[in-house]
Amino acid sequence: MQATIVTIPGDGIGVDVVAEGVKVLQAVAQKYGHTFTFENHLIGGCAIDAMGDPLPASTLDACQRADAVLLGAVGGPKWDDPTAKVRPEQGLLGLRKGLALYANLRPVQIFPQLRDASPLRPERLDGVDLVVVRELTGGLYFGPRKEATPDDDSAYDTMVYSGDEVRRIARKAFELARLRRKKVTSVDKANVLAASRLWRRVVVEIAAEYPDVTLEHMLVDSAAMHLMRRPADFDVIVTENMFGDILTDEASMLAGSMGMLASASLGEGKNGVYEPIHGSAPDIAGKGIANPLATILSAAMLLRYSLGLNEEAAAVEKAVADVVAAGYRTRDIYTDGTKLTHTKEMGSLICQRL
Ligand code: NAD
C-alpha cells in the first residue's frame, strides 16, 4: 500500500523518539512491500521559534491531507512562561480540533518482565490488557463556564453532551472491542449527573448494534477503585472527557513507565494522531537515552487504525515484546542484570527483530 505519514517530532525528546518510530515504519514498509512517504513538520516550541506559531498552517494542512500523523511531544523550559500568549500546547489542541479528533485511545499492557516497574503488587498485573477510550472534544472541559471574579465569588463548569457526541464515541469503543476481547465498560456518574444518564441511555442504544460485545456500566468512583483492585478484568473502557483524563493517568501507573505507553487520537475518518503519552522530557533531551518504545508502539497503532495493517501492527508489537524479553532496557526501565540500551540502539533492535 501507499501512504503519506506526517511526522511532527516537536520539542525535546520528541525529536529522538520520533526518529526511531520512523525507522521502524520504514522497516515495516521494506519487509511488507509498502511505500510510506514521510513529511516532516513543526509543532510546539520549535514552531514558535521558527514561525511564531505553535501550529503553522503548513503543518495543519499537511496533517489534514495525510493518511496518518506521528507526533513526539511539545514544550520545554524555554517556552514555559505562563503569561505568554503563544504556548506550545496550543499546537496540540489546535491539531486535535483541526482534525476533529474526538476519541483518545490509550492502551495499557503489561510486559511480564516489567511487572516490578509498577507500584502495584506484581500478581495484580497478570493478564492486564486494557484500552481507555476517552471522549476528547466534549463534556466538562468544553461546556459553558464562568470564572469567579473579585465581585462574584462563584464559578462553574458544565458537563454537556449531545446524544450524537455519545453515539460516535460509543461506536468507536464497540468497534475496538470487536477487535479485542469483546467487552466494553462504560464509565459514568449516572446516579448523580444528568449528562451521565444520557450517556448511559445512548451507550445502551448503541450496544444493541453490537450483540457480540458484552456491555457493563460502572460509576466512575467505583471504576477508579476496580482499576487498582482487578485491572485484568477490563478490556475497553469508554468514558467522558474529564473522567477519562483522570482514569488514563491512573491506568498508566499499572505499566510503570511513561516511556512504554502509546496513544491514538481518532476522528470520523481513518486519519489520526499517534503519540507517546509522555512529554518532551527536557531533563534527558538530546542525550540519546529516551525510551522510544512508547512511540514505536504508537506507530503500531498507526499501522492498525489508520492504515488497516493489522499483521504489520502485531509484528511491531511482538518485536517490542521480544526485545524487552531479551533484556534490553533504556535507562527508565533498567534494572540490575538487564542490558542498558540507548534510544537509537533500541530502535535498531526492533527493526532487526522485524
Ligand atoms: P515528561 O513526560 O516530559 O517527563 C516526566 C519524567 O519522565 C521525566 O523525568 C522524564 O525524563 C521521564 N520520561 C518521560 N518520557 C520518557 C521516555 N520516553 N524515556 C525515558 N524517560 C522519560 O513530563 P514533564 O516533565 O511534566 O513535562 C516536560 C514538558 O513536556 C513540559 O513542557 C510539558 O508541558 C510537556 N508535556 C507535553 C506533553 C505532550 O506533548 N503531549 C505531555 C506532557 C507534558
Side-chain angles (χ1 to χ4, degrees):
M1 91 169 324
Q2 298 215 345
T4 302
I5 299 170
V6 165
T7 54
I8 29 181
D11 306 314
I13 62 165
V15 178
D16 309 349
V17 295
V18 166
E20 301 314 302
V22 169
K23 218 155 93 179
V24 170
L25 288 170
Q26 278 165 336
V28 166
Q30 197 181 10
K31 174 169 180 199
Y32 292 89
H34 303 305
T35 308
F36 296 156
T37 307
F38 295 94
E39 263 186 50
N40 202 41
H41 286 272
L42 297 177
I43 196 167
C46 61
I48 296 176
D49 287 355
M51 304 168 88
D53 184 348
L55 181 64
S58 51
T59 299
L60 180 59
D61 183 54
C63 292
Q64 282 167 335
R65 284 186 286 100
D67 293 297
V69 179
L70 185 67
L71 191 145
V74 301
K78 186 174 175 194
W79 308 281
D80 253 356
D81 175 8
T83 60
K85 284 219 171 70
V86 186
R87 297 179 51 82
E89 310 84 65
Q90 291 164 348
L92 275 187
L93 297 178
L95 184 63
R96 287 173 188 157
K97 188 156 174 262
L99 296 179
L101 305 174
Y102 60 83
N104 181 236
L105 273 56
R106 268 195 198 183
V108 180
Q109 253 181 314
I110 313 295
F111 292 87
Q113 302 80 8
L114 299 181
R115 291 190 340 159
D116 292 336
S118 169
L120 255 71
R121 283 212 301 275
E123 63 272 21
R124 284 265 155 94
L125 301 171
D126 287 337
V128 170
D129 178 9
L130 62 89
V131 184
V132 180
V133 179
R134 167 188 168 195
E135 204 288 328
L136 205 55
T137 55
L140 194 63
Y141 291 171
F142 286 89
R145 72 179 56 173
K146 180 190 149 312
E147 299 285 345
T149 64
D151 306 328
D152 179 1
D153 198 17
S154 72
Y156 60 75
D157 301 275
T158 338
M159 188 185 288
V160 184
Y161 271 113
S162 70
D164 281 343
E165 282 174 316
V166 182
R167 263 172 215 110
R168 63 184 189 180
I169 190 81
R171 282 208 176 86
K172 275 269 185 282
F174 281 99
E175 291 291 338
L176 182 60
R178 269 198 171 152
L179 301 171
R180 298 172 44 92
R181 303 198 309 278
K182 299 192 171 54
K183 179 178 170 192
V184 169
T185 304
S186 172
V187 171
D188 60 35
K189 190 70 183 169
N191 54 342
V192 178
L193 301 174
S196 277
R197 284 190 283 277
L198 169 78
W199 178 282
R200 195 176 279 215
R201 173 169 68 69
V202 173
V203 170
V204 168
E205 168 199 315
I206 298 301
E209 298 170 19
Y210 300 86
D212 51 324
V213 178
T214 307
L215 169 66
E216 71 175 355
H217 303 281
M218 204 175 275
L219 297 174
V220 62
D221 38 351
S222 174
M225 184 264 290
H226 286 301
L227 257 179
M228 295 294 110
R229 209 168 73 93
R230 48 181 187 89
D233 286 356
F234 292 97
D235 179 16
V236 175
I237 297 173
V238 62
T239 193
E240 187 267 347
N241 200 342
M242 184 189 70
F243 296 162
D245 194 4
I246 297 169
L247 291 180
T248 48
D249 267 28
E250 187 193 6
S252 75
M253 285 323 292
L254 297 166
S257 172
M258 309 249 275
M260 297 300 295
L261 290 175
S263 84
S265 296
L266 306 172
E268 225 34 273
K270 286 273 181 201
N271 197 357
V273 172
Y274 300 84
E275 58 185 309
I277 72 154
H278 60 73
S280 58
D283 51 333
I284 59 167
K287 293 189 178 161
I289 57 174
N291 185 347
L293 294 181
T295 306
I296 291 170
L297 291 168
S298 301
M301 293 182 85
L302 180 157
L303 292 166
R304 179 173 289 119
Y305 298 123
S306 281
L307 308 187
L309 300 174
N310 293 326
E311 187 189 337
E312 289 82 340
V316 172
E317 285 159 355
K318 180 164 187 314
V320 170
D322 287 352
V323 166
V324 171
Y328 296 100
R329 304 276 190 280
T330 41
R331 202 186 58 169
D332 55 313
I333 49 173
Y334 175 80
T335 45
D336 283 348
T338 58
K339 300 166 207 164
L340 191 58
T341 311
H342 283 260
T343 310
K344 283 188 189 335
E345 201 185 339
M346 197 60 131
S348 302
L349 284 164
I350 306 295
C351 294
Q352 281 163 24
R353 286 290 190 289
L354 275 171

